[in-house]
């Protein structure tokens, strides 16, 4: 391994050095500062004689006399089942004073694309115990379903609730036939120490830490390191899922910080910027993270992803949520108005979506009436929402009896169906029964999206009379 | 992908040396290459294509990940442009962006993950196909002429043609029986030999004699598309929409139900699970015309968002070239590209790595030219052998933030003649397909009306116009309703709103997940519309006779209009509703 003292330029997170032997693209570099610190980086561009290096820990302390070593390999993550229960920093070094980690294998963190031919289509229902998700935007194993949130909204509480409660219903009945266990990988990028404590406390309180691996890049850690953290997390997830048969739930927070870091590096490299200064390859870059969710034919385990991102200015057309939405299989939208009304979790189901829902629900999976009930509630809630605007202008009295029923439906939908608190764990049956309670407020003939037989079976006749008697 | 002939490679070209690597863009020195030549890069032999030559410096876009590749490694030129292998076996296949079969790659790599530096031919070179000659010794054949057929799948007979770049001549020898695609089956007096496969460079359109005006609709089985915004066989359409508005489902519905002979489905930079869904579903689903599995008429090209970006740029060309080859056999081909925005972004990404001067929003200045070149390869063609074949192209567009004013949408709209605008509001209220009937248009309407009039119903054009008028009127009335509420409207306008509601809920909405509703034949599309019109006519008669609008709305039979789509025995069902509507509404006065 050759050492160079040939740094020619230091600019933001980038270091340029002259070399006299070929260096591979993406290779890992160690830089030793005159103070004796060792910093790690990665080759961003390699041409004959000159390489540009992005330094994960930031370029502070590097001067032109620092020595540069090229390790001759791309970035690897040491993986082993023993990682469960451990807390690592954003570069994958243990920070929990635990024993040294002896890896089974060292894996390239970039990861290769899963051959679409080898994938298995995700259709196993995951019960999160949250009605707005289970009932309306069902999560399935192997899905990537982000939470689109905003600053100050309780997305962390929701993520924790999902991590705590997520189960696959049949397995509760002792059907441990596939022998797969559940694991949570938590990748934090640029979150505050306080948020980090909140997560860690909850993990410790509920004992979830034992089946978790935590990667922490905090707000005051170097931004460039955020490039690596999710890749380490996903490499660990893939190992646990496809080698050790775990069902892995990966929570990545906050993707907005990740994208900011991407922009920072792009700017330092003087690249042609795309929308709002984010690099033109951000779609591809994000896809290389999100697409690492899934199931593979012939493998027991699965990788399910719940990335969290805060939308700048609550704007879902901002490049970060926009590109994310084009890659992920739906989104869960947090809503500021619902939050101020005290609805917990404040999920607005209308702009939320789960693309894989249709194949994960129905007879034999959840319940025969699930699809129709969810469709009908969507339509009815949307109609109620529309009418609210009108009520503001003309008042309730000016509306017909039919319209008033839809307005009542929308109110109760938020108060009873969406509202449940962060500690309530509802089974899918409970969720759907609440759904029928609410739908029965509407006249039977308005339920045009539900099969007639299902209406006969579930529709509550007495509710109608009660409402009409009001 | 075609491996160049070994001997030829050595004589034509010299190897070069890598000078620099930046993501998918690699430069090499001392490489004797022409533009668009395919090269093998580095010790691992990663496939790439020459995209710029400047002095001694050649720029290459690499179709695989370049991690670990460094300067000094060799670059080998094949001396051939990026081409596809065309021959039997393409249907029922799934390829990546440079026509490597994904199932073969899985076998060769021995893992579910895509490894690097593995090559595989686009069609199976070992497989024996049954060749049945269609010409005899002594016959004169010209380029494009069919010399024999091969049963490729249960649905499709593959036609073996004289390649378009041959001279043609008298048939001097012809075989019959089982052969591989590389064995010669026909010999010509010109000395040319014909095999069951051809190679064709993807960036060059295959020749045709003439382009004609399309006159037949591509029947999609989707009411809003067939009924209001039809696409012609040989036409072009764009589906722009923000995320979550149902682009992919709409595309997949077209791939499943449209009455093309061949479907080429390109998943360009989209989700892996979506392609898996297609791979799992299509072999099980029946083709609506033949009842055979859908895969028997389908060729899939999957370059998901996390697969190399350069291969995403080329997958569109791979797809359209395969489509042209089947067109040359005289088939009606439908090509779905999901999504052309990802293709444009791949161009942008590579262009920015080349440090080209950017055009609008960072896209290269040649974006518009590339898009129109692609869509111009669609059409209804008179083939060089005198037959006729069509390619219909449907491109999905994913505008950032759902904003249709961005360059890809705008440049696409300048070219395509059918525009299906997806609407996030409609999708949010689960109105699917979420095609906005006020914004969408089809310029094929007039040229397709004669077909509808003669095949389906003589009053088709009037009935459709009636529906359009009612929906337009609803749009205007809704603005007033937003201000004063529905009950403040005069009774006739309230009734119009009610009729429009049935048009939206019973006719425009269609449940892709329902076994029956997922496909709606044109006759049913027409009958459902006339049933709603019957309600309209009877209801207005009742209103004129003095019946209050509430009573009209409350007739039992009316809500049953919403169940027409899902009804299997629709003819009897609709007849019954119409009779009931008439009886119940007339009983009110």
């Amino acid at each position: 391994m050759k050492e160079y003292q040939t740094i020619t330029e230091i600019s933001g997170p980038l270091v340029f050095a002259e070399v006299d032997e070929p260096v591979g693209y993406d290779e890992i570099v160690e830089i030793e500062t005159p103070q004796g610190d060792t910093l790690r980086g990665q080759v961003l561009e390699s041409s004959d004689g000159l390489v540009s290096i992005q330094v994960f820990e930031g370029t502070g302390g590097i001067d032109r006399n620092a020595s540069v070593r090229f390790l001759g390999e791309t970035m690897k993550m040491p993986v082993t089942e023993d990682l469960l229960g451990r807390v690592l920093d954003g570069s994958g070094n243990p920070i929990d004073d635990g024993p040294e980690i002896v890896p089974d294998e060292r894996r390239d963190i970039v990861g290769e694309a899963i051959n679409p031919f080898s994938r298995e289509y995700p259709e196993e229902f995951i019960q999160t115990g949250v009605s707005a998700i289970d009932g309306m935007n069902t999560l399935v194993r192997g899905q990537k379903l982000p939470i689109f949130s905003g600053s100050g909204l309780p997305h962390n509480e929701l993520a924790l609730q999902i991590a705590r409660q997520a189960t696959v219903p049949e397995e509760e009945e002792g059907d441990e036939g596939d022998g797969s266990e559940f694991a949570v990988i938590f990748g934090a990028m640029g979150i505050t120490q306080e948020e980090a404590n909140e997560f860690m406390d909850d993990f410790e309180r509920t004992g979830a830490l034992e089946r978790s691996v935590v990667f922490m890049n905090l707000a005051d850690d170097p931004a460039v390191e955020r490039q690596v953290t999710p890749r380490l997390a996903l490499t660990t997830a893939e190992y646990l899922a496809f080698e050790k048969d775990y069902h892995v739930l990966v929570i990545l927070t906050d993707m907005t910080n990740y994208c900011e870091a991407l922009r920072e590096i792009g700017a330092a490299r003087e690249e042609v910027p795309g929308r709002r200064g984010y690099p033109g390859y951000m779609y591809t870059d994000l896809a290389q993270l999100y697409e690492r969710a899934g199931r593979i034919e012939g493998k027991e385990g699965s990788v399910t992803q719940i990335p969290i991102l805060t939308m700048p200015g609550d704007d879902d057309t901002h490049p970060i949520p926009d590109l994310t939405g084009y890659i992920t299989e739906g989104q869960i939208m947090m809503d500021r108005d619902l939050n101020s009304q005290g609805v917990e979790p404040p999920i607005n189901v209308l702009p939320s979506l789960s693309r894989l829902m249709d194949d994960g629900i129905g007879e034999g999976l959840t319940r025969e009436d699930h699809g129709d009930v969810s469709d009908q509630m969507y339509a009815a809630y949307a109609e109620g929402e529309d009418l609210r605007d009108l009520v503001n202008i003309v008042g309730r009295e000016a509306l017909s009896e039919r319209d008033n029923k839809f307005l009542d439906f929308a109110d109760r939908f938020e108060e009873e169906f969406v509202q449940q608190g962060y500690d309530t764990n509802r089974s899918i049956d409970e969720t759907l029964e609440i759904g029928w309670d609410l739908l029965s407020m509407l006249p039977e003939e308005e339920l045009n999206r539900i099969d007639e037989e299902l209406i006969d079976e579930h529709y509550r006749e007495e509710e109608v009379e009660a409402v009409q008697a009001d | 992908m075609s491996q160049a002939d070994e001997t030829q490679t050595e004589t034509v070209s010299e190897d070069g040396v890598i000078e620099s690597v930046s993501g998918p863009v690699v430069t090499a020195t001392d490489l004797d290459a022409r533009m668009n030549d395919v090269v093998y890069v580095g010790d691992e032999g990663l496939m790439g294509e020459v995209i710029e030559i400047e002095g001694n410096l050649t720029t290459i876009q690499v179709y695989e990940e370049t991690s670990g590749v460094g300067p000094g490694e060799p670059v080998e030129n094949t001396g051939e442009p990026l081409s596809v292998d065309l021959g039997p076996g393409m249907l029922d296949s799934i390829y990546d962006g440079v026509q490597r079969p994904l199932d073969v790659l899985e076998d060769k790599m021995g893992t579910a993950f895509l490894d690097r530096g593995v090559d595989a031919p686009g069609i199976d070179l070992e497989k024996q196909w049954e060749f049945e000659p269609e010409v005899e010794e002594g016959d004169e054949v010209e380029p494009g002429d069919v010399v024999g057929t091969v049963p490729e799948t249960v649905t499709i007979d593959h036609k073996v043609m004289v390649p378009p770049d041959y001279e043609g001549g008298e048939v001097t020898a012809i075989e019959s029986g089982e052969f591989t695609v590389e064995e010669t089956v026909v010999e010509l007096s010109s000395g040319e030999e014909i095999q069951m496969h051809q190679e064709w460079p993807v960036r060059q359109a295959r020749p045709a004699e003439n382009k004609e005006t399309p006159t037949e609709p591509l029947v999609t089985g989707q009411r809003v598309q067939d009924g209001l915004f039809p696409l012609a066989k040989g036409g072009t359409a764009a589906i722009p929409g923000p995320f979550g508005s149902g682009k992919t489902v709409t595309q997949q519905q077209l791939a499943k139900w449209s009455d093309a002979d061949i479907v080429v489905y390109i998943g360009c930079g989209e989700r892996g699970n979506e392609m898996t869904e297609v791979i799992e579903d299509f072999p099980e689903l029946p083709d609506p015309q033949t009842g055979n599995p859908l895969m028997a008429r389908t060729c899939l090209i999957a370059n998901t968002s996390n697969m190399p970006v350069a291969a995403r740029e080329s997958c569109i060309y791979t797809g359209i070239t395969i489509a042209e080859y089947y067109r040359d056999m005289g088939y009606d081909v439908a090509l779905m590209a999901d999504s052309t925005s990802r293709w444009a972004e791949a161009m942008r990404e590579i262009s920015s790595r080349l440090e080209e001067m950017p055009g609008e929003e960072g896209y290269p200045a040649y974006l518009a030219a590339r898009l129109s070149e692609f869509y111009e390869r669609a059409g209804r063609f008179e083939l060089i052998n005198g037959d006729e074949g069509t390619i219909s192209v449907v491109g999905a567009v994913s505008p950032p933030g759902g904003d249709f004013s961005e360059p890809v949408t705008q440049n696409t709209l300048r070219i395509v003649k059918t525009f299906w605008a997806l609407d996030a509001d409609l999708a949010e209220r689960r109105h699917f397909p979420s095609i906005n009937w006020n914004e969408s248009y089809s310029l094929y309407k007039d040229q397709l009306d004669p077909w509808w009039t003669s095949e389906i119903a003589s009053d088709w054009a009037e009935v459709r116009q009636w529906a359009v008028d009612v929906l337009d009127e609803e749009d205007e009335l809704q603005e007033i309703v937003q201000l004063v509420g529905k009950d403040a409207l005069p009774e006739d306008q309230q009734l119009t709103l009610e009729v429009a509601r049935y048009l939206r809920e019973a006719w425009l909405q269609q449940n892709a997940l329902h076994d029956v509703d997922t496909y709606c034949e044109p006759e049913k599309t027409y009958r459902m519309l006339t049933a709603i019109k019957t309600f309209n006519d009877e209801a207005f008669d009742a209103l004129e006779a003095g019946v209050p609008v509430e009573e009209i709305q409350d007739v039992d039979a009316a809500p049953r209009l919403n169940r027409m789509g899902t009804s299997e025995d629709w003819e009897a069902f609709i007849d019954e509703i119409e009779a009931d509507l008439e009886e119940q509404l007339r009983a009110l006065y």
Side-chain angles (χ1 to χ4, degrees):
Chain A
M1 199 189 315
K2 217 167 168 183
E3 235 179 274
Y4 295 91
Q5 279 191 315
T6 52
I7 293 178
T8 55
E9 188 186 332
I10 304 164
S11 147
L14 302 188
V15 166
F16 299 84
E18 283 174 353
V19 290
D20 59 5
E21 62 180 358
V23 173
Y25 175 67
D26 265 358
E27 255 182 41
I28 287 300
V29 186
E30 278 182 4
I31 299 176
E32 206 173 312
T33 64
Q35 295 81 23
D37 295 336
T38 306
L39 305 171
R40 287 202 302 168
Q42 192 173 18
V43 175
L44 272 189
E45 194 167 339
S46 166
S47 56
D48 219 5
L50 188 72
V51 289
S52 55
I53 301 158
Q54 98 183 13
V55 184
F56 300 136
E57 288 96 337
T59 46
I62 301 179
D63 66 8
R64 295 185 55 186
N65 298 321
S67 58
V68 181
R69 277 193 302 274
F70 296 93
L71 302 191
E73 60 166 26
T74 48
M75 182 103 177
K76 301 276 199 294
M77 171 74 200
V79 284
T80 156
E81 222 171 329
D82 299 336
L83 280 170
L84 288 169
R86 300 302 300 268
V87 183
L88 314 170
D89 70 7
S91 298
N93 307 308
I95 47 170
D96 56 358
D97 303 322
E100 197 187 327
I101 293 165
V102 184
D104 281 355
E105 213 180 300
R106 299 177 70 248
R107 288 199 165 197
D108 206 312
I109 66 158
V110 176
E112 287 157 337
I114 303 177
N115 187 332
F117 185 79
S118 313
R119 277 181 187 266
E120 194 175 315
Y121 192 65
E123 42 200 3
E124 274 173 294
F125 166 63
I126 298 181
Q127 180 176 303
T128 64
V130 179
S131 293
I133 297 178
D134 291 352
M136 311 292 281
N137 297 289
T138 315
L139 177 69
V140 298
R141 268 182 184 163
Q143 187 173 13
K144 38 194 180 295
L145 188 65
I147 300 176
F148 281 16
S149 186
S151 323
L153 293 179
H155 41 264
N156 293 343
E157 282 81 355
L158 179 63
L160 279 168
Q161 184 177 18
I162 295 171
R164 255 192 332 262
Q165 297 180 350
T167 54
V168 173
E170 312 109 356
E171 284 181 6
E172 284 174 358
E173 293 152 25
D175 177 25
E176 294 287 328
D178 61 359
S180 302
E181 284 180 75
F182 195 67
V184 176
I185 308 256
F186 182 75
M189 290 156 284
I191 64 169
T192 60
Q193 184 68 51
E194 228 170 288
E195 281 177 290
N197 291 346
E198 201 183 311
F199 276 107
M200 291 311 299
D201 289 348
D202 195 87
F203 280 153
E204 276 162 26
R205 180 172 62 84
T206 58
L209 189 60
E210 275 170 51
R211 50 185 182 103
S212 309
V213 189
V214 177
F215 293 85
M216 284 280 179
N217 165 284
L218 297 180
D220 55 353
D221 287 337
V224 186
E225 193 182 76
R226 282 164 211 160
Q227 292 278 286
V228 186
T229 311
R231 295 190 161 82
L232 296 171
L234 289 165
T235 306
T236 312
E238 279 173 356
Y239 172 79
L240 291 175
F242 304 130
E243 299 295 327
K244 300 291 172 189
D245 296 345
Y246 281 87
H247 289 296
V248 186
L249 178 70
V250 184
I251 298 175
L252 298 173
T253 182
D254 176 331
M255 290 306 294
T256 307
N257 295 333
Y258 172 85
C259 295
E260 299 291 344
L262 206 60
R263 177 162 68 173
E264 188 181 327
I265 295 158
R269 295 179 63 189
E270 295 174 9
E271 290 168 346
V272 181
R275 269 178 86 208
R276 299 219 193 171
Y278 293 97
Y281 49 79
M282 192 156 90
Y283 178 82
T284 308
D285 193 276
L286 287 173
Q288 280 168 353
L289 299 181
Y290 297 140
E291 277 291 331
R292 290 173 83 174
R295 303 213 56 174
I296 290 179
E297 218 159 297
K299 304 268 185 187
E300 290 292 348
S302 63
V303 177
T304 309
Q305 271 190 41
I306 303 192
I308 299 172
L309 56 90
T310 45
M311 298 180 281
D314 292 352
D315 172 15
D316 69 353
T317 66
H318 183 280
I320 300 171
D322 190 53
L323 294 181
T324 299
Y326 275 121
I327 306 164
T328 55
E329 283 136 357
Q331 67 276 339
I332 302 292
M333 281 275 195
M334 304 288 268
D335 187 273
R336 210 167 281 282
D337 288 340
L338 289 177
N339 188 49
S340 54
Q341 284 169 38
V343 175
E344 294 184 340
I347 297 174
N348 185 355
V349 299
L350 292 179
S352 300
L353 170 75
S354 165
R355 290 167 191 274
L356 301 182
M357 172 169 181
D358 298 320
D359 295 292
I361 61 170
E363 214 173 345
L365 297 156
T366 54
R367 240 170 65 170
E368 193 191 359
D369 55 333
H370 191 161
D372 286 357
V373 168
S374 144
D375 260 7
Q376 189 69 61
M377 286 204 285
Y378 260 113
Y381 182 54
E383 184 150 3
E385 265 279 302
D386 277 353
L387 289 167
R388 283 177 177 168
D389 294 339
L390 190 55
V391 170
N392 289 336
I393 302 169
V394 298
R396 267 198 113 139
E397 298 71 33
L399 295 184
S400 65
E401 192 192 349
R402 177 182 179 277
D403 288 351
N404 271 304
K405 280 181 185 158
F406 277 94
L407 276 168
D408 290 336
F409 175 86
D411 290 343
R412 283 186 60 191
F413 179 80
E414 288 167 4
E415 288 157 16
E416 294 170 35
F417 189 87
V418 181
Q419 160 69 29
Q420 66 175 88
Y422 296 112
D423 293 314
T424 312
N425 189 354
R426 286 188 191 151
S427 74
I428 183 64
D429 265 324
E430 290 173 67
T431 294
L432 292 176
E433 288 310 315
I434 298 172
W436 277 108
D437 286 347
L438 298 180
L439 286 176
S440 300
M441 297 168 67
L442 304 173
E444 208 175 316
E445 60 275 12
E446 290 290 341
L447 304 185
N448 53 16
R449 294 176 189 239
I450 306 183
D451 201 86
E452 273 156 343
E453 280 171 30
L454 292 170
I455 296 184
D456 291 345
E457 196 180 323
H458 296 280
Y459 189 74
R460 317 216 193 302
E461 298 292 344
E462 65 281 18
E463 284 278 337
V464 183
E465 282 152 27
V467 170
Q468 279 170 349
D470 275 351
Chain B
M1 186 52 50
S2 60
Q3 288 265 18
D5 203 64
E6 285 301 326
T7 52
Q8 196 190 357
T9 312
E10 277 159 31
T11 52
V12 184
S13 53
E14 263 177 57
D15 292 355
V17 176
I18 297 181
E19 212 240 7
S20 78
V21 184
S22 164
V25 174
V26 167
T27 58
T29 49
D30 301 329
L31 185 70
D32 182 13
R34 288 168 301 180
M35 274 297 269
N36 299 105
D37 273 358
V38 169
V39 294
Y40 291 100
V41 174
D43 297 329
E44 287 173 278
L46 310 179
M47 201 170 119
E49 184 181 355
V50 174
I51 52 171
E52 199 176 82
I53 300 171
E54 207 184 329
N56 192 26
L57 199 65
T58 309
T59 308
I60 298 155
Q61 63 176 0
V62 182
Y63 295 123
E64 299 180 73
E65 273 294 327
T66 51
S67 288
V69 176
E73 291 184 34
V75 178
E76 183 197 330
N77 188 7
T78 63
E80 302 228 324
L82 183 63
S83 338
V84 281
D85 283 335
L86 301 165
M90 292 194 295
L91 299 178
D92 202 5
S93 282
I94 167 160
Y95 294 120
D96 76 352
V98 284
Q99 212 208 2
R100 298 182 303 179
L102 288 170
D103 50 343
V104 177
L105 290 187
E106 185 191 53
D107 261 11
K108 278 194 163 182
M109 294 170 182
T111 152
F113 293 90
L114 288 170
D115 213 345
R116 304 192 304 186
V118 178
D119 206 347
I123 45 180
D124 192 336
L125 300 177
E126 253 117 75
K127 183 165 176 173
Q128 301 263 332
W129 295 93
E130 179 73 36
F131 176 77
E132 199 180 307
E134 296 230 321
V135 289
E136 289 171 6
E137 261 175 58
D139 285 357
E140 279 290 331
V141 292
E142 285 177 27
D145 284 353
V146 175
V147 293
T149 58
V150 175
E152 183 173 0
T153 65
V154 281
T155 316
I156 296 296
D157 274 337
H158 191 101
K159 297 178 183 160
V160 178
M161 297 166 289
V162 181
D165 49 356
Y166 275 28
E167 265 173 48
E170 193 180 310
V171 176
T172 54
I174 188 153
E175 307 277 352
S176 167
E178 301 231 319
F179 299 94
T180 69
V181 292
E182 289 187 308
E183 286 173 289
T184 299
V185 287
V186 175
E187 285 172 33
L188 303 182
S189 57
S190 57
E192 288 164 325
E193 295 177 346
I194 298 169
Q195 292 91 24
M196 282 188 272
H197 85 126
Q198 308 181 5
E199 274 179 24
W200 196 263
V202 295
R203 294 184 199 277
Q204 192 185 333
R206 286 174 64 88
E209 198 60 46
N210 222 335
K211 219 170 167 177
E212 287 163 9
T213 310
T215 52
E216 252 185 64
L218 182 78
V219 175
T220 64
Q222 312 302 308
R223 287 188 289 271
V224 55
Q225 279 146 311
D226 287 345
L228 292 185
F229 312 110
L231 173 63
K233 282 200 175 93
T236 50
I239 316 183
F243 65 82
S245 57
K247 270 188 304 296
T248 301
V249 176
T250 310
Q251 285 272 38
Q252 288 187 0
Q253 284 294 94
L254 294 177
K256 283 177 191 166
W257 303 119
S258 62
D259 68 339
D261 299 314
I262 308 279
V263 171
V264 178
Y265 190 93
I266 310 173
C268 174
E270 289 287 311
R271 304 174 183 90
N273 281 331
E274 267 165 15
M275 289 318 292
T276 310
E277 184 183 14
V278 175
I279 299 166
E280 284 183 12
D281 280 1
F282 276 32
E284 320 243 302
L285 287 168
D287 175 345
Q289 292 149 76
T290 61
N292 297 326
L294 265 183
M295 265 320 270
R297 65 163 197 182
T298 310
C299 174
L300 294 175
I301 296 169
N303 204 83
T304 57
S305 53
N306 55 340
M307 282 156 81
V309 71
R312 195 192 305 162
E313 194 268 338
S314 67
C315 68
I316 293 280
Y317 295 105
T318 303
I320 191 87
T321 311
I322 291 175
E324 283 174 339
Y325 181 64
Y326 283 101
R327 170 208 70 189
D328 287 349
M329 298 178 202
Y331 287 118
D332 292 320
V333 185
L335 179 137
M336 325 285 160
D338 184 15
S339 146
T340 56
S341 292
R342 304 299 161 224
W343 174 49
E345 280 164 15
M347 280 188 238
R348 173 166 73 181
E349 200 172 320
I350 290 166
S351 158
S352 100
R353 302 242 186 208
L354 292 176
E355 296 175 1
E356 289 174 342
M357 184 71 81
E360 216 178 332
E361 292 200 17
Y363 287 104
Y366 45 79
L367 173 72
R370 292 279 170 86
L371 281 170
S372 45
E373 259 169 40
F374 164 64
Y375 282 105
E376 270 304 290
R377 287 171 81 168
R380 174 173 165 228
F381 292 92
E382 189 195 330
L383 305 173
I384 48 175
N385 64 14
D387 279 352
E388 195 184 283
T390 65
I391 300 180
S392 319
V393 170
V394 181
V397 184
S398 322
D403 170 14
F404 289 175
S405 69
E406 57 91 40
V408 182
T409 315
Q410 284 306 313
N411 283 311
T412 304
L413 286 185
R414 278 209 285 277
I415 313 157
V416 300
K417 292 180 77 177
T418 298
F419 174 52
W420 292 316
L422 298 182
D423 186 325
D425 276 347
L426 291 175
E428 268 185 24
R429 58 194 65 219
R430 299 304 187 260
H431 174 118
F432 287 118
S434 62
I435 295 175
N436 183 311
W437 49 92
N438 292 317
E439 279 183 59
S440 305
Y441 59 79
S442 166
L443 302 179
Y444 296 110
K445 243 186 219 176
D446 295 337
Q447 68 209 62
L448 298 178
D449 272 349
W451 183 91
W452 280 88
T453 314
S454 69
E455 300 287 318
I456 307 298
S458 53
D459 62 344
W460 166 250
E462 292 96 78
V463 177
R464 184 192 60 205
Q465 195 53 47
W466 165 79
V468 172
D469 292 344
V470 173
L471 289 168
D472 279 351
E473 195 178 343
E474 186 203 25
D475 194 41
E476 284 167 28
L477 290 176
Q478 281 298 353
E479 286 175 24
I480 306 173
V481 172
Q482 289 298 322
L483 292 176
V484 298
K486 195 169 156 189
D487 292 348
L489 292 180
E491 290 208 315
D492 61 327
Q493 293 186 343
Q494 286 188 38
L495 193 54
T496 302
L497 286 179
E498 186 73 0
V499 173
R501 191 165 71 91
Y502 283 117
L503 278 178
R504 281 189 286 113
E505 292 181 1
W507 193 63
L508 292 177
Q509 280 188 31
Q510 190 170 352
N511 187 349
L513 303 168
H514 191 281
D515 291 342
V516 176
D517 204 21
T518 184
Y519 177 77
C520 187
E521 51 268 59
E523 291 81 3
K524 188 176 171 186
T525 297
Y526 169 74
R527 273 300 277 134
M528 286 173 68
L529 193 53
T530 49
I532 298 172
K533 190 157 187 297
T534 303
F535 170 69
N536 176 75
D537 297 348
E538 292 293 331
F540 274 98
D541 284 351
L543 193 71
E544 247 169 62
V547 183
V549 70
E550 288 80 18
E551 279 181 41
I552 296 174
Q553 286 171 1
D554 280 347
V555 295
D556 279 357
R560 276 181 18 230
L561 288 168
N562 282 326
R563 311 238 174 232
M564 290 190 294
T566 52
S567 136
E568 203 156 355
D569 186 13
W570 54 271
E571 278 158 320
F573 186 81
I574 293 175
D575 287 346
E576 193 192 309
I577 292 183
E578 282 188 325
D580 288 354
L581 279 171
E582 206 166 293
E583 189 193 306
Q584 291 172 7
L585 284 165
R586 289 185 187 180
L588 296 174
Y589 58 95

